[in-house]
Amino acid sequence: MPLAVVSLIWDAQHSSGPQHVKYDDDGYYLVRFPYGQQESYDPWNMHAARRDGDTSEFPDSRSGLIHPSHEGWGVLSAMVHWSKDGEPHEYRARFVRDPLGDGYDSTATTDAAETGGGQYKAYMWQMFVYPDVPLGLKVSARGKGDTKIRTPLLHAQFKLAIHTDVMTP
């Protein structure tokens, strides 16, 4: 079964420190990923710095996008490690189609309470993906009373595997 894969990684230890969360109008933050150095796998250029004549630089918002190389059944996965700064009570994540455009469509929103140890969260979702619809991972940390907290990220991964030969009856 043919598979097109992209695997992005960002880590505070290999960068200039934590990724500071700044919320968008929807109350979520689009996680950013560097181009080149920390990427573990992107042979299809789904996370290219230059696309459609425009150039993006980490950590601008476009550095948070995966542009599917093929149409097919996409398996999305992510992992986020949060700092405990700000005393968050709840952690949220969602996969989003077209997070910077007019077709914003969130799916697979998950929330989880804080745990007694480190705040390490993993997520997975499956859906159809299309080359003209970019994907993003958005996160949010909330305090009691649904207050958004600017808790920094320490580590993040975002992966997409596209099954390109979906059968039809």
Side-chain angles (χ1 to χ4, degrees):
M1 175 180 295
L3 208 57
V5 175
V6 60
S7 176
L8 308 179
I9 187 170
W10 169 85
D11 192 279
Q13 290 181 347
H14 299 102
S15 291
S16 56
Q19 196 167 144
H20 294 281
V21 172
K22 296 176 184 129
Y23 292 107
D24 297 334
D25 292 340
D26 65 352
Y28 284 81
Y29 170 74
L30 181 64
V31 180
R32 275 72 160 171
F33 297 90
Y35 297 103
Q37 311 108 322
Q38 293 182 17
E39 282 180 67
S40 53
Y41 193 72
D42 188 18
W44 293 99
N45 292 317
M46 291 190 246
H47 185 65
R50 184 160 179 79
R51 182 168 300 281
D52 302 327
D54 294 324
T55 301
S56 169
E57 289 187 32
F58 175 78
D60 70 21
S61 58
R62 289 188 45 227
S63 69
L65 301 178
I66 288 178
H67 296 267
S69 59
H70 296 78
E71 181 175 313
W73 186 247
V75 178
L76 293 92
S77 57
M79 179 172 56
V80 178
H81 295 183
W82 291 90
S83 166
K84 291 189 95 172
D85 293 352
E87 299 183 18
H89 179 68
E90 172 187 32
Y91 298 88
R92 295 181 183 179
R94 59 177 35 167
F95 294 109
V96 181
R97 294 179 185 101
D98 198 18
L100 302 178
D102 296 332
Y104 183 102
D105 177 19
S106 65
T107 184
T109 300
T110 303
D111 72 22
E114 66 177 320
T115 62
Q119 304 308 310
Y120 312 125
K121 312 295 181 187
Y123 311 98
M124 195 204 78
W125 190 245
Q126 299 180 55
M127 63 186 185
F128 283 105
V129 298
Y130 305 93
D132 58 341
V133 182
L135 305 170
L137 168 66
K138 295 191 96 174
V139 298
S140 179
R142 313 278 173 126
K144 294 187 190 248
D146 205 33
T147 315
K148 293 182 286 280
I149 297 175
R150 294 181 184 252
T151 299
L153 301 178
L154 301 175
H155 179 87
Q157 295 185 30
F158 184 25
K159 303 166 187 309
L160 169 64
I162 306 169
H163 297 269
T164 59
D165 62 348
V166 177
M167 295 174 53
T168 56

